[in-house]
Amino acid sequence: MDTVIDAHNISKVYNPDTIPVHAVNNVHLHVERGEFTALVGPSGSGKTTLLNILGGLDHPTSGNVVINGTDITHLGSNKLIDFRLHNIGFVFQSFNLIPVLTARENVEFIMLLQNVPKKERDQRVVALLNEVGLSDKMDVRPAQLSGGQQQRVAVARALASKPQFILADEPTANLDSASAFNLLDIMAKLNREENMTFIFSTHDQRVIERARRVITLVDGSIASDTAQTKTD
Amino acid sequence: MITTIAWRNIWRNKTRSIVIMTSVALGLWAGAFIAALYWGMGQERMRIAIENEIAHLQVHAPDFTLEFTNIPAIANVNELTAQITAMQGVKAVSARTIAMGMLATATGSAGIQINGIEPNAEAATSQLKSKLKEGTYFETKKTNTVLVGAKLAKKLKLKLNSKVVLTFQDKEDNLVSAAFRVEGIYQSYNTALDERNVYVPITTLNNLLGLQHEAHEVAVLLQSDDLTPSVKAALAAQNPALKVQDWKEISPETGLILSTMGQASMVFVVIILLALAFGIINTMLMAVLERTREIGVLMALGMNKLKLFAMILTETFMLVMVGCPFGLLLAWAVIQLLARKGIDLTAIAGQTMQDFGFSNVIYPGLPASQYLQIVILVVITAVVSAFFPAIRALRLRPVEAIRG
């Protein structure tokens, strides 16, 4: 198997000098390419903090995160930004598309940052938006899209940079059932057909049922890490 | 894409953007208009100095000083004036004799400068004839006639045909007194000069001074201001024994006024732009703070700090640059209109302007180089104003920004 994430002894303590809050506590995590993994747990269990650390958006208080052979824990700010650009795709709970750009431009934007040639960009944008079923909404701005459609654009955007893996923080939390199922189908298909690694935090039982691996966090620590045979 | 995002971001809050664009336009208009007003005043002062007082060039004997004591005379002045008249670029030449003395009437007296002039040559060189308010311009057959300034006439209660006695020292330092009749009263744009200058025929004054074919000064009016350095150089080369000076050397205060006015107008422009800068900073800071989450997302996705900085800078730059042409156009239109009509300050300033050698009517104007200078200042303002919001954006940590 091909290791994508190797996190050792990760801890994150907020307010260490006043009232310490242990958001993540000595977490060891090993993720292989092609996993479809759910991080579950009650609110405040440290799911988002752990995702942020794995995504290089936050630094752990101790421990280290190795992604595809690179220890990102001690990378400088600019190097970390560059690392994220080329290695990690993000899907946020509230979609977070750039409101002034169309669906096409939102997806293309990442590739522009990567200096991908125009012809390649154009082809990939069309392919990705087709893949998420939004070929008819390419020139529409986020405000004119439904929540589900926006989240599908966000998935296409996350895929645009050809990342090592995609981190999705509560991707279905703001979606109705139909949109949530639709999004999960797309993510599962990408995982199955393109071997794209997905790690998502969720409360949503529908999402948990689709995951092949479920990691349960309680008070910042891994309470259980189970493989599920029943997938999509 | 950065340009696209920046441009579209401007129009997210149309009202706010239009307000700041209007501020830029009005600020630019105000700055350009003040600069034009000062420039117009400076040019007017220069024109008055050249066309009424000094001319472009003056030729004196080598030991002439601006102190006007024991003024040395130029010999064979007729040959000199003929030579200068024949030079290319010369419009008019006037020989003058000068004596410092006293004008006395039955009721009072005043210290004055007596200028002996060739009436026709002087009329072509300075605007003395056109400034005549009352009387005639050396048209009587009498030789002892004098033109006095309106201010002096008022001070000494002089009227046309009033008798005055001029007292001064002749060539041999003997005290000479002669009676003159007031033939005309003139009023120029410079009341201070009007008060201390009187004009008499050069032949009359030369006779009294004991001068023959001599003059103290030859004033040279050129066809264009730009010809001043070249004609001055040619004249000096042809007459190495004489002192050739341009109007800036003769009247350094006029040159100083011009440069001071240029600097003063720029100070006003900078103050206006400074006020504008605070408006821009405020607007852009609001824009950045409103988009904290969005900026966090951009950083999370991989937009580096340089590109983020460039985006905020571009946005500010565009915001300013959209207002800029409107401001320039407005300024240009207003300046063009007033350059033709003039701004008459008589009702506000009364005689004050003329007391300092300025016309009461100002014709604003601004050379293209000054428009460019103002635009450059606006660009600098935009860039400097963008720094604070941009730095604020760069300090955001993506994880905190996304969390909001």
Side-chain angles (χ1 to χ4, degrees):
Chain A
M1 291 288 275
D2 186 6
T3 301
V4 178
I5 301 173
D6 207 1
H8 298 279
N9 210 21
I10 299 288
S11 290
K12 179 71 182 180
V13 184
Y14 291 111
N15 311 323
D17 302 325
T18 52
I19 307 161
V21 177
H22 295 267
V24 177
N25 216 351
N26 291 321
V27 168
H28 293 271
L29 187 64
H30 189 81
V31 178
E32 299 291 337
R33 188 173 306 283
E35 282 193 20
F36 201 64
T37 299
L39 274 179
V40 301
S43 291
S45 59
K47 301 185 297 291
T48 300
T49 305
L50 183 59
L51 276 188
N52 285 339
I53 291 171
L54 296 179
L57 294 175
D58 206 353
H59 289 284
T61 308
S62 62
N64 62 324
V65 179
V66 178
I67 293 173
N68 213 28
T70 304
D71 185 348
I72 66 163
T73 322
H74 303 293
L75 286 181
S77 172
N78 273 331
K79 281 191 176 169
L80 201 53
I81 289 174
D82 198 50
F83 187 85
R84 284 200 299 266
L85 175 64
H86 290 96
N87 294 278
I88 308 170
F90 290 94
V91 176
F92 302 97
Q93 181 179 333
S94 12
F95 327 131
N96 286 339
L97 298 176
I98 302 166
V100 293
L101 298 182
T102 61
R104 176 200 298 272
E105 289 166 339
N106 262 288
V107 178
E108 190 186 2
F109 178 67
I110 299 290
M111 291 184 277
L112 265 165
L113 293 177
Q114 290 179 314
N115 295 320
V116 174
K118 182 164 178 15
K119 197 177 168 188
E120 192 184 330
R121 282 199 318 260
D122 290 344
Q123 287 171 350
R124 194 158 166 74
V125 166
V126 173
L128 286 168
L129 286 173
N130 265 331
E131 208 156 0
V132 296
L134 289 172
S135 52
D136 57 334
K137 302 283 183 188
M138 284 192 187
D139 297 312
V140 171
R141 288 200 190 178
Q144 295 161 282
L145 294 171
S146 69
Q149 288 170 330
Q150 285 190 54
Q151 199 62 304
R152 280 189 273 155
V153 175
V155 170
R157 179 177 71 179
L159 285 165
S161 64
K162 297 184 181 172
Q164 297 292 326
F165 60 93
I166 289 176
L167 294 175
D169 188 12
E170 308 261 9
T172 58
N174 290 343
L175 302 183
D176 58 54
S177 293
S179 299
F181 277 118
N182 186 257
L183 184 77
L184 285 169
D185 286 343
I186 288 166
M187 285 164 67
K189 183 172 168 245
L190 288 165
N191 170 255
R192 194 174 56 241
E193 293 177 2
E194 296 186 19
N195 204 29
M196 177 53 66
T197 311
F198 279 91
I199 304 160
F200 38 86
S201 66
T202 187
H203 282 110
D204 191 337
Q205 195 55 40
R206 297 165 303 185
V207 181
I208 297 168
E209 283 169 7
R210 302 285 288 266
R212 287 204 299 274
R213 180 183 175 190
V214 177
I215 299 167
T216 308
L217 284 175
V218 177
D219 293 335
S221 300
I222 294 178
S224 67
D225 186 348
T226 55
Q228 296 191 145
T229 49
K230 188 186 175 186
T231 63
D232 56 298
Chain B
M1 189 69 88
I2 283 176
T3 319
T4 309
I5 295 176
W7 177 252
R8 290 182 189 170
N9 274 337
I10 289 176
W11 301 108
R12 285 169 81 167
N13 191 329
K14 284 195 183 79
T15 312
R16 191 170 62 197
S17 295
I18 287 170
V19 165
I20 202 74
M21 284 166 189
T22 310
S23 307
V24 170
L26 288 178
L28 198 65
W29 167 77
F33 184 71
I34 285 174
L37 210 59
Y38 273 94
W39 191 86
M41 279 173 76
Q43 289 299 304
E44 195 64 17
R45 176 71 199 105
M46 187 185 85
R47 290 259 64 81
I48 290 170
I50 291 172
E51 290 169 9
N52 293 288
E53 300 161 17
I54 304 163
H56 288 101
L57 299 170
Q58 286 191 357
V59 183
H60 297 99
D63 40 358
F64 168 81
T65 65
L66 289 170
E67 304 299 318
F68 287 99
T69 49
N70 297 322
I71 308 164
I74 304 166
N76 300 322
V77 74
N78 293 339
E79 285 175 28
L80 180 65
T81 52
Q83 176 211 334
I84 298 172
T85 307
M87 287 177 77
Q88 210 169 15
V90 173
K91 192 175 175 186
V93 180
S94 176
R96 297 165 180 168
T97 300
I98 299 161
M100 307 307 289
M102 182 79 82
L103 181 146
T105 66
T107 54
S109 63
I112 44 145
Q113 178 176 315
I114 306 155
N115 300 281
I117 54 167
E118 293 171 350
N120 290 335
E122 189 64 28
T125 310
S126 74
Q127 294 182 349
L128 180 63
K129 189 177 179 183
S130 64
K131 300 295 172 203
L132 214 59
K133 204 177 147 195
E134 290 177 59
T136 55
Y137 182 76
F138 300 114
E139 285 168 16
T140 64
K141 288 181 182 173
K142 294 173 188 166
T143 53
N144 280 27
T145 59
V146 62
L147 301 184
V148 298
K151 185 89 187 266
L152 183 68
K154 191 179 175 189
K155 185 179 167 188
L156 295 178
K157 297 185 179 72
L158 294 173
K159 291 179 182 160
L160 292 179
N161 264 330
S162 291
K163 184 183 167 187
V164 298
V165 175
L166 302 181
T167 306
F168 47 91
Q169 287 179 311
D170 71 5
K171 193 179 171 183
E172 308 297 333
D173 287 344
N174 298 314
L175 211 57
V176 179
S177 287
F180 286 77
R181 290 276 175 191
V182 174
E183 185 186 338
I185 297 171
Y186 71 91
Q187 184 169 21
S188 76
Y189 292 121
N190 192 336
T191 47
L193 283 182
D194 292 359
E195 194 178 353
R196 65 170 189 269
N197 280 277
V198 299
Y199 296 87
V200 298
I202 192 169
T203 44
T204 309
L205 188 59
N206 277 5
N207 284 340
L208 292 165
L209 287 169
L211 300 174
Q212 282 194 335
H213 308 298
E214 289 169 282
H216 292 126
E217 175 175 294
V218 175
V220 184
L221 187 71
L222 304 177
Q223 282 160 358
S224 143
D225 297 342
D226 301 335
L227 294 169
T228 309
S230 59
V231 177
K232 181 191 170 190
L235 198 52
Q238 286 173 21
N239 301 281
L242 295 173
K243 195 174 192 175
V244 182
Q245 292 170 295
D246 61 28
W247 63 271
K248 278 185 188 168
E249 291 169 301
I250 296 290
S251 176
E253 70 278 6
T254 304
L256 187 69
I257 285 169
L258 281 180
S259 64
T260 309
M261 285 197 153
Q263 288 159 8
S265 67
M266 277 302 131
V267 168
F268 276 108
V269 172
V270 168
I271 290 170
I272 289 169
L273 292 180
L274 205 62
L276 204 57
F278 281 101
I280 297 167
I281 289 171
N282 184 45
T283 302
M284 285 311 295
L285 205 54
M286 279 165 72
V288 166
L289 293 174
E290 278 173 6
R291 299 208 304 263
T292 300
R293 176 188 282 262
E294 201 176 305
I295 289 168
V297 170
L298 290 173
M299 290 168 91
L301 294 178
M303 184 184 243
N304 63 33
K305 291 185 173 180
L306 189 68
K307 283 182 175 148
L308 186 64
F309 188 83
M311 190 183 81
I312 306 280
L313 199 72
T314 310
E315 202 172 317
T316 317
F317 194 74
M318 284 176 167
L319 197 63
V320 172
M321 283 302 138
V322 170
C324 199
F326 292 104
L328 278 181
L329 200 68
L330 186 66
W332 180 82
V334 172
I335 291 167
Q336 288 302 309
L337 181 75
L338 292 174
R340 274 194 288 273
K341 284 189 153 189
I343 306 169
D344 192 347
L345 298 177
T346 312
I348 307 165
Q351 280 294 113
T352 317
M353 298 283 284
Q354 292 187 355
D355 286 345
F356 291 95
F358 289 92
S359 164
N360 270 2
V361 182
I362 300 170
Y363 295 91
L366 207 59
S369 62
Q370 288 227 25
Y371 278 106
L372 186 69
Q373 211 172 355
I374 292 170
V375 170
I376 290 169
L377 280 173
V378 170
V379 171
I380 292 170
T381 306
V383 173
V384 171
S385 307
F387 264 77
F388 189 62
I391 288 168
R392 182 77 178 72
L394 293 184
R395 281 190 184 154
L396 291 173
R397 291 185 60 226
V399 67
E400 287 164 7
I402 294 167
R403 205 183 291 145

